[in-house]
Structures are given as C-alpha cells and as structure tokens.
Amino acid sequence: MLIAQLTDLHIGAGRRLAYRKVDTAGALENAVDHVMAMDPRPDVVLFTGDIGDLGNQQEYGLVAEILTKLTLPYFMVPGNHDRRAPLRTAFPDATPVKDGAAFVNYVVDDYPLRLIALDTLDEGKPGGVLGADQLDWLRGVLSDGDDRPCLIFMHHPPIVTGIAHMDAQNLGEGADELAAIVAQHRDRIRAIICGHVHRPIHTIWAGVPLMIGPSVAHQVAFDLRDDGPSAFVMEPPAMHLHVWDTPSQNLLTHLAYIDRYDGPHPFFGADGKLIV
Ligand SMILES: [Fe+2]
Ligand SMILES: [Fe+2]
C-alpha cells in the first residue's frame, strides 16, 4: 500500500501568489501531475491541511478544479488556514463525516492500514486544539474492536520542532491527552503524520514515529534560534510517500521532491522580502 501525503497547499483565489512570491496553484498542479505519473501510483492521497489560504469557497473551487486530474482516492483534514464548512461542501467525499458533525474526524477502512483522520483546527486561530469530544472520539475508534494497524493523519504536530515561530502555533490543548492515548495503543499506531510546519521532520513521540511532511508549495526556513523570524524558503516542493508492507507490517517513509522546481533557493521573510 502506497500513501502520498500532500500538505500545505495554501491555494489563493484567482491563483493569487502566496506572499506575493509563491505560485501555489502551479505547485499543486505540478504535485498532481507528479503523483499521476508515478508507477506504481499511490493507492490513496492524504492532504494534511492548509488546503486553502483563507479557507473560502473560491479557493476550494480552484483546488477542486486542479484535483479533477487527481483520479485516485483522496482524503483531507483541515489546517488552520481552512474553514470546515466550505471545505466539506467542496470536498464531501474527501471529508466523509455525517451532516452536522462538529469536526472532520473519520476513519478510512478501505486499506490494510487503517487511516484515522483527526481534525485539530481551532477555526480562526493559528494553533491547534483537541478538545474532550475529539479525544473521546479517538479513544472510541481505538477501542472499537478493529485491531488492525493504523496511521493517524492530522494538521498540527503535537511536538516542539525547534522552529520557534512555528512551535508557538503547534498543537496546544489536548496534546498531553493525545500522547497518553497514543502511548496506550503504540503497538497498533504505526505513525502519526502531520503538516503545518512546511518542512520534513521526523521523530518518535509517545512511542510511535511522528513525521511532518514538507509542503508541496514552499518550505519554512530551518532556523533554531529562539528569536528566529517567520521566514519561508523556496527549497524544492516535496511530499512524503509512506509505504505500508502488509506481510512485514512495516511502514517506511520516503521524501520525494516534486519535479519542476526553480533554483537557487532564496530565503524570504513573511513580508515576502528577500533575506539573503
Ligand atoms: Fe501551512
Ligand atoms: Fe498550518
């Protein structure tokens, strides 16, 4: 089973450039072309949030238009740049929850590896939360009698990455409770995959591998200074490819660059101005 993780698309309405520099719509088109040209093709594509940039209908309309070429099953969780209602309206099949559901939490049971979507969005705020209802839902899923191995996908990572301006907006409330749940089921949870930080970052958390995927559009600059400014860098767009091998019950993750990226890779501040 091959899973492509595409994250942090940040599509602007009318193909608006992010930070006046980044052609995010073009980047998504490149990513879709890349995935569709793969041999073998992924079985499923997981979008781990920040599908839009402001989270409105116009943005999701453009995403839907671009994704008409993605003729593979795909699923989404919202990021902090998304809004649940317009996202669900635009992508009902990719956010399979009941009408009136408060969150975009669901389980995909079509594959040997169970895919658990966890919605960490706190609408209108950059940081993520998991409230009591969310945590109860996850406890219920992990105790529902289906003992297959599983993977959790969510937007906000519950870890400290060292990139201070991003750590200030990672998963806050609910992270400790999530760690306790994950640790209890660590034999079955084979990975937690996240987006949000726009860099490929890997660690072990609560006894399981936790991986943050790179953005398909632009990356956040690597900067471990406590006062490092918010800055992005045009390092190549990329994605994580997660390979699940059922006989060995092993999950293996590749970093794959998406074709057609420009270089060199200049650094920009959040205001779009060149730093170096
Ligand atoms: Fe993002
Ligand atoms: Fe985000």
Side-chain angles (χ1 to χ4, degrees), residues 8 10 50 155 196 198:
D8 293 273
H10 290 268
D50 287 354
H155 183 66
H196 190 54
H198 294 232

Side-chain angles (χ1 to χ4, degrees), residues 29-210:
E29 288 166 340
N30 289 346
V32 170
D33 287 349
H34 185 110
V35 167
M36 293 307 291
M38 285 174 63
D39 181 13
R41 277 187 187 161
D43 296 288
V44 61
V45 178
L46 300 182
F47 290 91
T48 42
D50 287 354
I51 313 296
D53 202 45
L54 300 172
N56 61 42
Q57 203 185 337
Q58 292 76 16
E59 293 178 353
Y60 296 138
L62 177 54
V63 176
E65 197 181 304
I66 295 170
L67 295 190
T68 53
K69 288 172 79 180
L70 184 68
T71 54
L72 301 173
Y74 62 85
F75 297 93
M76 296 174 168
V77 285
N80 50 299
H81 285 259
D82 295 308
R83 295 291 177 277
R84 289 186 186 92
L87 182 74
R88 287 172 53 191
T89 301
F91 301 102
D93 295 343
T95 55
V97 294
K98 288 189 185 120
D99 283 347
F103 301 102
V104 186
N105 296 326
Y106 55 90
V107 182
V108 180
D109 271 331
D110 307 342
Y111 305 98
L113 188 64
R114 264 192 135 186
L115 306 173
I116 300 175
L118 202 48
D119 171 353
T120 55
L121 170 60
D122 188 6
E123 275 203 5
K125 299 200 181 134
V129 296
L130 285 174
D133 290 350
Q134 304 269 70
L135 295 160
D136 281 347
W137 176 86
L138 182 62
R139 285 187 193 96
V141 166
L142 291 168
S143 316
D144 69 357
D146 186 330
D147 290 335
R148 281 180 298 159
C150 52
L151 173 149
I152 296 175
F153 63 110
M154 56 199 260
H155 183 66
H156 295 85
I159 61 166
V160 174
T161 66
I163 300 175
H165 66 94
M166 292 306 295
D167 287 338
Q169 50 172 275
N170 283 344
L171 183 66
E173 182 190 328
D176 291 346
E177 292 84 349
L178 177 64
I181 297 169
V182 169
Q184 198 187 341
H185 298 276
R186 63 181 174 273
D187 293 343
R188 274 201 297 131
I189 301 172
R190 295 313 169 91
I192 300 173
I193 64 171
C194 307
H196 190 54
V197 187
H198 294 232
R199 289 202 73 77
I201 298 171
H202 299 201
T203 189
I204 300 286
W205 182 77
V208 309
L210 185 145

